[in-house]
Amino acid sequence: MKRLLFLFFWAMSIGAQARGHKALDALADRVCGRGAHDKIEFRLCADDQPEYFTLSQRGGRPCITANTLSAASAGFGWYLKHYMHVSITWNHLTDDLTRRRWVLPRRPETHVTQLPYRYYINYCTFSYSMSNWDTERWMQEIDWMALHGVNLPLQIVGIDAVWHDLLTQDCSFTHDEASVFVAGPMFQAWWLMNNLLGHGGPNPAWWYERQAQLGRAITDRMRELGMSPCLPGFVGMAPAKYVADRQAEAYEGRWCGFESPRLLNVTTASGRQAFDELSRKYYERIAETFGFLPDYYSLDPVHERGKPAGMGVTGYQALCDAAREAMNRTKPAGEAPIWVAQMWQVNAYDEGRVAALPKEKTLLLDLSSERQTMYPYFSDGRDYVFCMLHNYGGNIGLYGCMEQMLAYFREHRQRPALRGVGVTPEGIETNPVLYELVFELPWLDAVPDARQWLDGHLPCRYGVDSEAARRAWGKLLATVYRQNGANQQGCREPVFCARPNLEGWSASSWANAPYDWDKQEVVDAARWLLTVQADNDNYRYDAVDVTRQALTDHAHTVQMELRRLRDTQGVRSAAFAQKRQRFMELMGDIDS
């Protein structure tokens, strides 16, 4: 019997390794060109050691040995960056390397991580940046995740189809009645965080079919590459019609002026019965839509607002207990899923919210660790992830607090409860340097110095070792990437994005960064960068991006000069007219 069990598990292991090799080979071909998998060897070892990858050579080819699929793909990304000087970022998602000579590591290089979680994506990212992505763009993003070692990505695509099918097929709603509840694509982040309902809709029937297919394709590819998709769990939100039809007790609330979904009151018999019925149907639809039941669920009962009237600490505790029970029923006994909870603003410091979450099988996301950690509110040994919330509102501009983030991470790394790193931006596809840094941190023996890390990163990004690039980025590190304000939410938006004014207003309430750097230094950084002798997509992207920032900063200077001339010489003066013409020319320069 023991021999049969051994052979069974041995066969399972061999099958899993074969699937892993196939997934890694396909990844290499997608990222580096058809046939690229013949240039490199992947070896997967089944052991229970902390995750690691080793770069070496075998049979005249580079070889990546790892004990998990995620570590292997992270090792592949590391090899491409540090040996081939090819950095796969959002602006540079593929690079045909099939005709190049693949560098052989001179000696084995091993990287080990003690941080098992590499989390990625904020709810908001799906609405700010991803709401209209197609299958091709999603597959590119998942490859990006794999190359950066992400193994716990949030995944909400297709949850709207789950709810639509649940309401129309299980609860006798019409399509129009379901549309009152389900938000449109660009607002589904806040719908699924229980903030609003229906806004941005209604969605046509074909949209739900598309989303179900796309969501299944996304989760399939994530799992194929060794990731554990984290799907929204059920926390008691329900349409008003569902509540009324069942005469169930439920809480009502509002968020930023929007009506929020009802939250079933599980302290009452009618509310608990409705909760149990809806949660069972919800998880059945999850399994049907995605073809599996996850090991991780994101649950956020009351996001960015106080508890609804009448709920109190007791009601919140009861709701969390009911949500945990419903989630646990999706798995066999002893295999309970892990509850992933956002520690953000009131979610952390409101009375009773953290205490309502069980210590076991819960993973907390310290959502903006690099800016304003919530650690003091859950510093009782709860497992958590250090996250960077870099981009607020999907704004475009050079921005970061690189040195501060590294200093904070150095402190957090000493804490036994730290279980991973993550990036939780509201918008993406800007400032790729920060994302490269964060996802290297788990694999480094020590937290690096920002300037030291940058000097090593630039040849990977531009494909050349350039003193001019180092000078340019030294100036950027001392200006736009040295922002440290706890109340600063992202970049200083371009003045041309705001309504016409001479007061220096920002375009949105989320970009409240002051101009507290020497703007001439950014201009000098652009000049240095334009002298770099490089020829790849990453260099061209940065040359444009930094030049745009320099022109934007200069436009603010001109704007302030216009204000001074208005106040001293008047808007009809020749000096004002000349400066106004320069301001308008800058707008065209930035477009160019």
Side-chain angles (χ1 to χ4, degrees):
M1 185 64 181
K2 289 182 179 179
R3 180 174 175 78
L4 287 174
L5 285 173
F6 170 79
L7 290 173
F8 171 76
F9 287 114
W10 176 81
M12 291 279 288
S13 174
I14 293 298
Q17 289 188 38
R19 290 190 296 273
H21 280 290
K22 185 177 180 181
L24 292 166
D25 287 347
L27 172 67
D29 285 355
R30 288 193 301 269
V31 172
C32 300
R34 184 176 298 176
H37 70 276
D38 289 330
K39 302 279 188 177
I40 192 165
E41 180 176 343
F42 295 101
R43 303 185 70 199
L44 292 173
C45 301
D47 61 48
D48 57 358
Q49 299 300 311
E51 281 184 280
Y52 69 87
F53 63 81
T54 297
L55 309 179
S56 61
Q57 56 176 294
R58 180 181 172 88
R61 296 190 298 172
C63 177
I64 298 173
T65 303
N67 60 347
T68 68
L69 257 175
S70 180
S73 60
F76 182 44
W78 191 283
Y79 169 81
L80 291 177
K81 277 199 293 187
H82 295 278
Y83 286 83
M84 297 295 288
H85 288 173
V86 172
S87 183
I88 303 296
T89 59
W90 291 304
N91 57 279
H92 187 69
L93 290 167
T94 59
D95 198 326
D96 191 346
L97 303 179
T98 55
R99 296 183 180 180
R100 281 181 53 178
R101 183 181 67 85
W102 287 47
V103 179
L104 296 177
R106 294 182 179 178
R107 62 185 64 85
E109 176 185 347
T110 298
H111 293 268
V112 181
T113 183
Q114 303 294 330
L115 301 176
Y117 295 112
R118 280 86 65 188
Y119 184 85
Y120 180 52
I121 319 185
N122 188 320
Y123 275 90
C124 301
T125 324
F126 289 89
S127 290
Y128 279 124
S129 297
M130 300 167 162
S131 59
N132 293 308
W133 280 8
D134 59 11
T135 302
E136 180 182 4
R137 181 61 186 88
W138 262 111
M139 296 304 109
Q140 290 175 330
E141 191 72 9
I142 297 168
D143 286 347
W144 181 93
M145 296 181 204
L147 295 172
H148 291 79
V150 172
N151 61 2
L152 184 58
L154 180 65
Q155 208 300 86
I156 74 171
V157 177
I159 299 297
D160 51 0
V162 167
W163 272 103
H164 182 264
D165 289 351
L166 185 161
L167 295 175
T168 58
Q169 297 180 35
D170 299 333
C171 300
S172 302
F173 278 44
T174 66
H175 171 76
D176 290 341
E177 288 170 338
S179 296
V180 173
F181 180 67
V182 182
M186 289 184 285
F187 299 92
Q188 289 192 357
W190 300 278
W191 167 57
L192 288 173
M193 288 189 290
N194 307 320
N195 293 146
L196 53 77
L197 51 84
H199 194 68
N203 304 314
W206 65 260
W207 173 260
Y208 295 108
E209 296 176 11
R210 171 198 188 270
Q211 291 298 92
Q213 293 173 6
L214 179 57
R216 177 67 176 263
I218 289 170
T219 54
D220 284 352
R221 177 60 59 83
M222 287 176 172
R223 297 172 71 208
E224 175 186 306
L225 287 167
M227 304 177 198
S228 296
C230 180
L231 272 60
F234 183 78
V235 289
M237 82 170 185
K241 173 177 165 49
Y242 179 88
V243 173
D245 287 349
R246 284 151 183 79
Q247 298 183 332
E249 295 291 326
Y251 304 105
E252 299 181 15
R254 301 187 71 82
W255 171 83
C256 295
F258 291 95
E259 179 186 357
S260 300
R262 301 292 194 271
L263 275 175
L264 294 166
N265 182 353
V266 297
T267 65
T268 66
S270 63
R272 183 55 190 258
Q273 182 178 353
F275 181 99
D276 289 342
E277 176 191 358
L278 197 55
S279 64
R280 175 178 55 80
K281 292 175 179 176
Y282 176 83
Y283 287 117
E284 287 174 354
R285 288 291 172 183
I286 287 281
E288 180 179 316
T289 302
F290 298 103
F292 78 110
L293 284 166
D295 295 321
Y296 297 85
Y297 286 102
S298 173
L299 293 92
D300 200 356
V302 188
H303 178 75
E304 284 190 347
R305 57 193 171 103
K307 293 187 285 287
M311 174 180 278
V313 175
T314 301
Y316 189 86
Q317 179 70 66
L319 183 62
C320 289
D321 290 345
R324 167 64 84 181
E325 291 174 18
M327 185 174 64
N328 286 354
R329 283 194 292 269
T330 67
K331 294 285 186 178
E335 299 180 19
I338 290 179
W339 181 331
V340 180
Q342 297 180 133
M343 291 295 100
W344 169 250
Q345 295 182 354
V346 69
N347 293 47
Y349 54 72
D350 184 38
E351 182 185 3
R353 292 209 191 181
V354 175
L357 305 175
K359 272 191 173 185
E360 299 297 322
K361 293 287 187 175
T362 301
L363 183 67
L364 306 182
L365 303 176
D366 192 17
L367 218 61
S368 59
S369 308
E370 93 292 358
R371 190 177 70 89
Q372 196 170 31
T373 180
M374 292 288 114
Y375 178 76
Y377 296 101
F378 58 85
S379 56
D380 56 352
R382 295 171 183 269
D383 290 349
Y384 77 102
V385 176
F386 178 102
C387 298
M388 175 185 73
L389 206 173
H390 166 259
N391 183 307
Y392 291 78
N395 296 320
I396 296 174
L398 299 184
Y399 163 78
C401 44
M402 193 176 292
E403 290 180 336
Q404 175 180 283
M405 179 189 69
L406 290 171
Y408 286 177
F409 182 69
R410 199 171 284 114
E411 295 176 11
H412 281 262
R413 199 169 184 176
Q414 306 304 313
R415 295 167 177 155
L418 179 67
R419 302 289 288 159
V421 302
V423 292
T424 53
E426 292 187 354
I428 58 169
E429 297 181 312
T430 67
N431 297 277
V433 63
L434 291 165
Y435 300 81
E436 297 299 307
L437 172 58
V438 170
F439 282 126
E440 282 196 8
L441 290 177
W443 305 100
L444 297 173
D445 292 334
V447 181
D449 169 78
R451 183 57 192 265
Q452 175 191 15
W453 181 86
L454 262 177
D455 287 348
H457 173 69
L458 292 174
C460 303
R461 182 152 177 82
Y462 298 150
V464 296
D465 190 4
S466 168
E467 177 60 26
R470 283 192 288 272
R471 290 195 179 194
W473 278 89
K475 292 180 178 297
L476 295 175
L477 180 60
T479 54
V480 292
Y481 288 118
R482 201 187 183 107
Q483 305 306 294
N484 297 311
N487 295 320
Q488 182 175 339
Q489 295 187 334
C491 67
R492 181 64 156 82
E493 288 180 291
V495 298
F496 293 121
C497 291
R499 293 180 180 180
N501 73 94
L502 293 180
E503 312 308 321
W505 299 336
S506 183
S508 73
S509 58
W510 314 122
N512 55 8
Y515 268 119
D516 58 357
W517 61 82
D518 185 342
K519 289 179 278 187
Q520 182 59 42
E521 287 289 282
V522 181
V523 173
D524 291 343
R527 286 174 173 155
W528 276 113
L529 196 58
L530 291 172
T531 69
V532 174
Q533 300 298 308
D535 183 26
N536 70 12
D537 287 348
N538 287 337
Y539 170 71
R540 283 185 286 274
Y541 178 92
D542 288 354
V544 170
D545 212 23
V546 176
T547 302
R548 176 200 50 76
Q549 185 72 43
L551 290 169
T552 294
D553 289 359
H554 184 59
H556 179 265
T557 299
V558 175
Q559 183 188 39
M560 294 300 97
E561 291 174 353
L562 275 168
R563 184 175 68 177
R564 179 184 60 79
L565 288 168
R566 178 200 63 186
D567 295 342
T568 58
Q569 299 186 35
V571 296
R572 298 186 182 279
S573 65
F576 187 92
Q578 183 180 20
K579 192 66 67 175
R580 178 180 60 198
Q581 180 62 29
R582 179 68 190 119
F583 188 79
M584 298 306 292
E585 289 172 354
L586 275 169
M587 189 183 298
D589 291 341
I590 290 175
D591 284 346
S592 297

